[in-house]
Short mmCIF file of all heavy atoms in Angstrom, two decimals:
data_model
loop_
_atom_site.label_atom_id
_atom_site.label_comp_id
_atom_site.label_asym_id
_atom_site.label_seq_id
_atom_site.Cartn_x
_atom_site.Cartn_y
_atom_site.Cartn_z
N GLY A 28 29.38 2.62 -15.88
CA GLY A 28 29.97 3.72 -15.05
C GLY A 28 30.08 3.26 -13.63
O GLY A 28 30.03 2.11 -13.28
N ASN A 29 29.95 4.39 -12.70
CA ASN A 29 30.03 4.04 -11.32
C ASN A 29 28.73 3.80 -10.69
O ASN A 29 27.98 4.61 -10.27
CB ASN A 29 30.69 5.28 -10.70
CG ASN A 29 31.12 5.02 -9.23
OD1 ASN A 29 31.13 3.91 -8.81
ND2 ASN A 29 31.58 6.03 -8.56
N VAL A 30 28.41 2.41 -10.66
CA VAL A 30 27.22 1.95 -10.04
C VAL A 30 27.61 0.83 -9.06
O VAL A 30 28.43 -0.02 -9.30
CB VAL A 30 26.31 1.23 -11.17
CG1 VAL A 30 24.96 0.66 -10.47
CG2 VAL A 30 25.93 2.30 -12.24
N GLY A 31 26.88 0.96 -7.84
CA GLY A 31 27.23 -0.07 -6.78
C GLY A 31 25.99 -0.85 -6.54
O GLY A 31 25.14 -0.48 -5.91
N PRO A 32 25.89 -2.10 -7.16
CA PRO A 32 24.70 -3.01 -6.88
C PRO A 32 24.83 -3.61 -5.57
O PRO A 32 25.95 -3.82 -5.00
CB PRO A 32 24.69 -4.00 -8.08
CG PRO A 32 26.13 -3.99 -8.52
CD PRO A 32 26.73 -2.66 -8.29
N GLY A 33 23.78 -4.22 -5.08
CA GLY A 33 23.76 -5.02 -3.91
C GLY A 33 23.78 -4.25 -2.62
O GLY A 33 24.22 -4.82 -1.59
N LEU A 34 23.30 -3.06 -2.54
CA LEU A 34 23.35 -2.24 -1.27
C LEU A 34 22.07 -2.23 -0.71
O LEU A 34 20.99 -2.57 -1.20
CB LEU A 34 23.79 -0.77 -1.73
CG LEU A 34 25.19 -0.74 -2.35
CD1 LEU A 34 25.39 0.77 -2.80
CD2 LEU A 34 26.16 -1.07 -1.40
N PRO A 35 21.96 -1.93 0.70
CA PRO A 35 20.63 -1.89 1.38
C PRO A 35 19.72 -0.95 0.53
O PRO A 35 20.05 0.14 0.14
CB PRO A 35 21.08 -1.49 2.73
CG PRO A 35 22.50 -1.69 3.03
CD PRO A 35 23.02 -1.65 1.53
N GLY A 36 18.34 -1.37 0.61
CA GLY A 36 17.34 -0.57 -0.06
C GLY A 36 16.59 0.30 0.91
O GLY A 36 17.03 0.52 2.13
N ALA A 37 15.30 0.77 0.48
CA ALA A 37 14.66 1.71 1.24
C ALA A 37 13.98 1.10 2.47
O ALA A 37 13.66 1.83 3.38
CB ALA A 37 13.56 2.36 0.26
N ILE A 38 13.69 -0.16 2.37
CA ILE A 38 13.03 -0.81 3.62
C ILE A 38 13.91 -1.55 4.41
O ILE A 38 14.55 -2.53 4.05
CB ILE A 38 11.84 -1.65 2.89
CG1 ILE A 38 11.06 -1.00 1.98
CG2 ILE A 38 11.17 -2.48 4.00
CD1 ILE A 38 9.98 -1.87 1.17
N ALA A 39 13.94 -1.09 5.58
CA ALA A 39 14.78 -1.77 6.70
C ALA A 39 14.36 -3.22 6.86
O ALA A 39 13.25 -3.57 6.78
CB ALA A 39 14.70 -0.99 8.01
N ALA A 40 15.44 -4.11 7.02
CA ALA A 40 15.24 -5.44 7.24
C ALA A 40 14.65 -6.28 6.04
O ALA A 40 14.18 -7.30 6.12
CB ALA A 40 14.40 -5.71 8.50
N ASP A 41 14.66 -5.58 4.87
CA ASP A 41 14.15 -6.19 3.64
C ASP A 41 15.39 -6.80 2.92
O ASP A 41 16.42 -6.15 2.84
CB ASP A 41 13.57 -5.17 2.77
CG ASP A 41 13.01 -5.76 1.49
OD1 ASP A 41 13.21 -6.97 1.20
OD2 ASP A 41 12.31 -5.06 0.79
N SER A 42 15.26 -8.11 2.54
CA SER A 42 16.39 -8.79 1.94
C SER A 42 16.81 -8.36 0.56
O SER A 42 17.83 -8.45 0.01
CB SER A 42 16.24 -10.26 1.90
OG SER A 42 15.09 -10.61 1.11
N ASN A 43 15.75 -7.52 -0.14
CA ASN A 43 16.10 -6.95 -1.37
C ASN A 43 17.02 -5.84 -1.36
O ASN A 43 16.88 -5.08 -0.47
CB ASN A 43 14.75 -6.43 -1.99
CG ASN A 43 13.74 -7.64 -2.33
OD1 ASN A 43 14.17 -8.60 -2.96
ND2 ASN A 43 12.40 -7.37 -2.11
N SER A 44 17.89 -5.81 -2.30
CA SER A 44 18.93 -4.73 -2.34
C SER A 44 18.59 -3.71 -3.28
O SER A 44 17.62 -3.83 -4.02
CB SER A 44 20.35 -5.48 -2.66
OG SER A 44 20.32 -5.99 -3.94
N ALA A 45 19.47 -2.74 -3.42
CA ALA A 45 19.36 -1.62 -4.33
C ALA A 45 20.62 -1.29 -5.02
O ALA A 45 21.59 -1.88 -4.58
CB ALA A 45 18.84 -0.36 -3.48
N ALA A 46 20.56 -0.45 -6.03
CA ALA A 46 21.84 -0.03 -6.66
C ALA A 46 22.01 1.49 -6.37
O ALA A 46 21.14 2.26 -6.25
CB ALA A 46 21.63 -0.14 -8.09
N HIS A 47 23.37 1.78 -6.22
CA HIS A 47 23.71 3.19 -5.97
C HIS A 47 24.31 3.69 -7.25
O HIS A 47 25.35 3.17 -7.96
CB HIS A 47 24.76 3.25 -4.96
CG HIS A 47 25.31 4.65 -4.67
ND1 HIS A 47 26.53 5.02 -5.25
CD2 HIS A 47 24.84 5.73 -4.04
CE1 HIS A 47 26.77 6.34 -5.04
NE2 HIS A 47 25.70 6.78 -4.16
N PHE A 48 23.78 4.82 -7.75
CA PHE A 48 24.40 5.54 -8.99
C PHE A 48 25.01 6.83 -8.43
O PHE A 48 24.43 7.51 -7.72
CB PHE A 48 23.15 5.85 -10.02
CG PHE A 48 22.53 4.65 -10.50
CD1 PHE A 48 21.51 3.95 -9.75
CD2 PHE A 48 22.86 4.13 -11.76
CE1 PHE A 48 20.94 2.83 -10.30
CE2 PHE A 48 22.33 2.97 -12.19
CZ PHE A 48 21.38 2.28 -11.43
N ASP A 49 26.24 7.02 -9.06
CA ASP A 49 26.99 8.22 -8.62
C ASP A 49 26.54 9.55 -9.03
O ASP A 49 26.91 10.52 -8.61
CB ASP A 49 28.38 8.00 -8.93
CG ASP A 49 28.72 8.16 -10.46
OD1 ASP A 49 27.72 8.27 -11.24
OD2 ASP A 49 29.88 8.14 -10.93
N GLY A 50 25.54 9.55 -10.09
CA GLY A 50 25.01 10.85 -10.52
C GLY A 50 25.83 11.55 -11.49
O GLY A 50 25.57 12.57 -12.04
N ILE A 51 27.00 10.89 -11.96
CA ILE A 51 27.86 11.53 -12.93
C ILE A 51 27.99 10.55 -14.08
O ILE A 51 27.63 10.78 -15.17
CB ILE A 51 29.35 11.70 -12.33
CG1 ILE A 51 29.16 12.72 -11.31
CG2 ILE A 51 30.18 12.27 -13.35
CD1 ILE A 51 30.41 13.06 -10.47
N SER A 52 28.57 9.30 -13.72
CA SER A 52 28.76 8.38 -14.94
C SER A 52 27.84 7.17 -14.82
O SER A 52 27.80 6.32 -15.77
CB SER A 52 30.22 7.92 -14.96
OG SER A 52 30.52 7.21 -13.74
N GLY A 53 27.22 6.90 -13.84
CA GLY A 53 26.41 5.64 -13.47
C GLY A 53 25.03 5.70 -14.10
O GLY A 53 24.25 6.60 -13.90
N TYR A 54 24.78 4.65 -14.88
CA TYR A 54 23.35 4.46 -15.46
C TYR A 54 23.16 3.03 -15.95
O TYR A 54 24.17 2.23 -15.83
CB TYR A 54 23.12 5.50 -16.57
CG TYR A 54 23.86 5.22 -17.79
CD1 TYR A 54 23.51 4.52 -18.95
CD2 TYR A 54 25.28 5.80 -17.91
CE1 TYR A 54 24.30 4.37 -20.12
CE2 TYR A 54 26.08 5.61 -18.94
CZ TYR A 54 25.51 4.93 -20.12
OH TYR A 54 26.33 4.77 -21.20
N VAL A 55 21.89 2.68 -16.25
CA VAL A 55 21.76 1.47 -16.92
C VAL A 55 21.38 1.69 -18.37
O VAL A 55 20.55 2.37 -18.72
CB VAL A 55 20.47 0.70 -16.23
CG1 VAL A 55 20.21 -0.55 -16.90
CG2 VAL A 55 20.85 0.41 -14.81
N ASN A 56 22.06 0.95 -19.22
CA ASN A 56 21.89 0.99 -20.82
C ASN A 56 21.05 -0.15 -21.08
O ASN A 56 21.39 -1.33 -20.89
CB ASN A 56 23.32 0.84 -21.47
CG ASN A 56 23.06 0.99 -22.86
OD1 ASN A 56 22.03 0.91 -23.49
ND2 ASN A 56 24.17 1.14 -23.73
N VAL A 57 19.89 0.08 -21.55
CA VAL A 57 18.96 -0.92 -21.87
C VAL A 57 18.85 -1.07 -23.44
O VAL A 57 18.09 -1.93 -23.93
CB VAL A 57 17.44 -0.75 -21.42
CG1 VAL A 57 17.49 -0.90 -19.83
CG2 VAL A 57 16.89 0.47 -21.85
N GLY A 58 19.67 -0.51 -24.15
CA GLY A 58 19.83 -0.58 -25.59
C GLY A 58 18.64 0.01 -26.37
O GLY A 58 17.76 0.70 -25.82
N ALA A 59 18.58 -0.25 -27.70
CA ALA A 59 17.59 0.30 -28.55
C ALA A 59 16.55 -0.75 -28.90
O ALA A 59 16.41 -1.07 -30.04
CB ALA A 59 18.29 0.89 -29.69
N HIS A 60 15.91 -1.27 -27.93
CA HIS A 60 14.91 -2.39 -28.16
C HIS A 60 13.77 -1.76 -28.88
O HIS A 60 13.33 -0.69 -28.67
CB HIS A 60 14.51 -2.97 -26.93
CG HIS A 60 15.56 -3.74 -26.16
ND1 HIS A 60 16.03 -4.89 -26.54
CD2 HIS A 60 16.18 -3.40 -25.04
CE1 HIS A 60 16.96 -5.31 -25.77
NE2 HIS A 60 17.15 -4.44 -24.78
N ALA A 61 13.16 -2.41 -29.80
CA ALA A 61 11.99 -1.96 -30.64
C ALA A 61 10.89 -1.58 -29.74
O ALA A 61 10.22 -0.55 -30.08
CB ALA A 61 11.60 -3.10 -31.68
N ALA A 62 10.54 -2.32 -28.70
CA ALA A 62 9.43 -1.89 -27.74
C ALA A 62 9.70 -0.53 -27.12
O ALA A 62 8.71 0.23 -27.04
CB ALA A 62 9.31 -2.94 -26.72
N LEU A 63 10.90 -0.26 -26.79
CA LEU A 63 11.24 1.13 -26.16
C LEU A 63 11.21 2.14 -27.20
O LEU A 63 10.83 3.26 -27.01
CB LEU A 63 12.65 1.03 -25.44
CG LEU A 63 12.72 0.16 -24.28
CD1 LEU A 63 14.11 0.03 -23.78
CD2 LEU A 63 11.77 0.70 -23.22
N ASN A 64 11.66 1.82 -28.48
CA ASN A 64 11.77 2.81 -29.51
C ASN A 64 10.38 3.31 -30.00
O ASN A 64 10.25 4.32 -30.56
CB ASN A 64 12.50 2.31 -30.65
CG ASN A 64 13.99 2.16 -30.42
OD1 ASN A 64 14.47 2.87 -29.54
ND2 ASN A 64 14.69 1.35 -31.12
N GLN A 65 9.27 2.50 -29.71
CA GLN A 65 7.93 2.87 -30.17
C GLN A 65 7.27 3.76 -29.07
O GLN A 65 6.10 4.19 -29.40
CB GLN A 65 7.22 1.63 -30.41
CG GLN A 65 7.75 0.84 -31.63
CD GLN A 65 7.91 1.67 -32.85
OE1 GLN A 65 6.97 2.30 -33.33
NE2 GLN A 65 9.07 1.69 -33.43
N LEU A 66 7.90 3.89 -27.84
CA LEU A 66 7.10 4.78 -26.86
C LEU A 66 7.10 6.26 -27.35
O LEU A 66 8.05 6.77 -27.70
CB LEU A 66 7.88 4.65 -25.60
CG LEU A 66 7.84 3.48 -24.80
CD1 LEU A 66 8.71 3.48 -23.49
CD2 LEU A 66 6.35 3.22 -24.48
N THR A 67 5.88 6.76 -27.59
CA THR A 67 5.75 8.05 -27.84
C THR A 67 4.95 8.90 -26.65
O THR A 67 5.31 10.02 -26.41
CB THR A 67 4.90 8.23 -29.14
OG1 THR A 67 3.68 7.66 -28.92
CG2 THR A 67 5.71 7.78 -30.33
N ASN A 68 4.01 8.29 -26.13
CA ASN A 68 3.34 8.81 -24.83
C ASN A 68 2.58 7.69 -24.23
O ASN A 68 2.76 6.55 -24.51
CB ASN A 68 2.43 9.94 -25.24
CG ASN A 68 1.53 9.68 -26.43
OD1 ASN A 68 1.03 8.57 -26.56
ND2 ASN A 68 1.16 10.62 -27.26
N ASP A 69 1.90 7.97 -23.12
CA ASP A 69 1.07 6.99 -22.22
C ASP A 69 2.14 6.05 -21.61
O ASP A 69 1.96 4.78 -21.80
CB ASP A 69 0.04 6.28 -23.10
CG ASP A 69 -1.20 7.02 -23.33
OD1 ASP A 69 -1.48 7.91 -22.48
OD2 ASP A 69 -1.87 6.74 -24.31
N PHE A 70 3.13 6.51 -20.90
CA PHE A 70 3.95 5.72 -20.17
C PHE A 70 4.35 6.37 -18.83
O PHE A 70 4.23 7.57 -18.78
CB PHE A 70 5.21 5.26 -20.94
CG PHE A 70 6.07 6.27 -21.47
CD1 PHE A 70 7.12 6.80 -20.60
CD2 PHE A 70 5.90 6.84 -22.62
CE1 PHE A 70 7.88 7.76 -21.07
CE2 PHE A 70 6.78 7.95 -23.08
CZ PHE A 70 7.77 8.34 -22.42
N THR A 71 4.97 5.65 -17.96
CA THR A 71 5.45 6.09 -16.66
C THR A 71 6.84 5.76 -16.33
O THR A 71 7.34 4.61 -16.68
CB THR A 71 4.61 5.65 -15.46
OG1 THR A 71 3.21 5.99 -15.82
CG2 THR A 71 5.00 6.18 -14.16
N ILE A 72 7.72 6.62 -15.90
CA ILE A 72 9.01 6.25 -15.39
C ILE A 72 8.93 6.58 -13.96
O ILE A 72 8.50 7.68 -13.43
CB ILE A 72 10.09 7.26 -16.15
CG1 ILE A 72 10.13 6.89 -17.53
CG2 ILE A 72 11.52 6.89 -15.45
CD1 ILE A 72 11.19 7.74 -18.29
N GLU A 73 9.41 5.63 -13.04
CA GLU A 73 9.39 5.89 -11.63
C GLU A 73 10.63 5.27 -10.95
O GLU A 73 11.17 4.35 -11.47
CB GLU A 73 8.04 5.41 -11.01
CG GLU A 73 7.75 3.93 -11.39
CD GLU A 73 8.15 2.87 -10.14
OE1 GLU A 73 8.43 3.44 -9.00
OE2 GLU A 73 8.06 1.78 -10.43
N ALA A 74 10.91 5.83 -9.76
CA ALA A 74 12.06 5.28 -8.99
C ALA A 74 11.98 5.67 -7.62
O ALA A 74 11.26 6.57 -7.20
CB ALA A 74 13.32 5.85 -9.58
N TRP A 75 12.65 4.83 -6.83
CA TRP A 75 12.88 5.28 -5.47
C TRP A 75 14.30 5.81 -5.33
O TRP A 75 15.18 5.25 -5.94
CB TRP A 75 12.90 3.95 -4.49
CG TRP A 75 11.62 3.56 -4.08
CD1 TRP A 75 10.78 2.58 -4.66
CD2 TRP A 75 10.80 4.13 -3.10
NE1 TRP A 75 9.59 2.48 -4.14
CE2 TRP A 75 9.48 3.42 -2.98
CE3 TRP A 75 10.99 5.02 -2.01
CZ2 TRP A 75 8.60 3.63 -2.10
CZ3 TRP A 75 10.00 5.32 -1.07
CH2 TRP A 75 8.76 4.57 -1.07
#
Side-chain angles (χ1 to χ4, degrees):
N29 191 4
V30 179
L34 300 175
I38 302 171
D41 186 351
S42 62
N43 289 318
S44 63
H47 174 264
F48 295 83
D49 71 352
I51 298 171
S52 67
Y54 65 98
V55 174
N56 181 347
V57 295
H60 298 285
L63 294 173
N64 288 340
Q65 296 306 309
L66 286 176
T67 57
N68 50 32
D69 279 336
F70 62 88
T71 301
I72 298 176
E73 55 102 10
W75 280 95

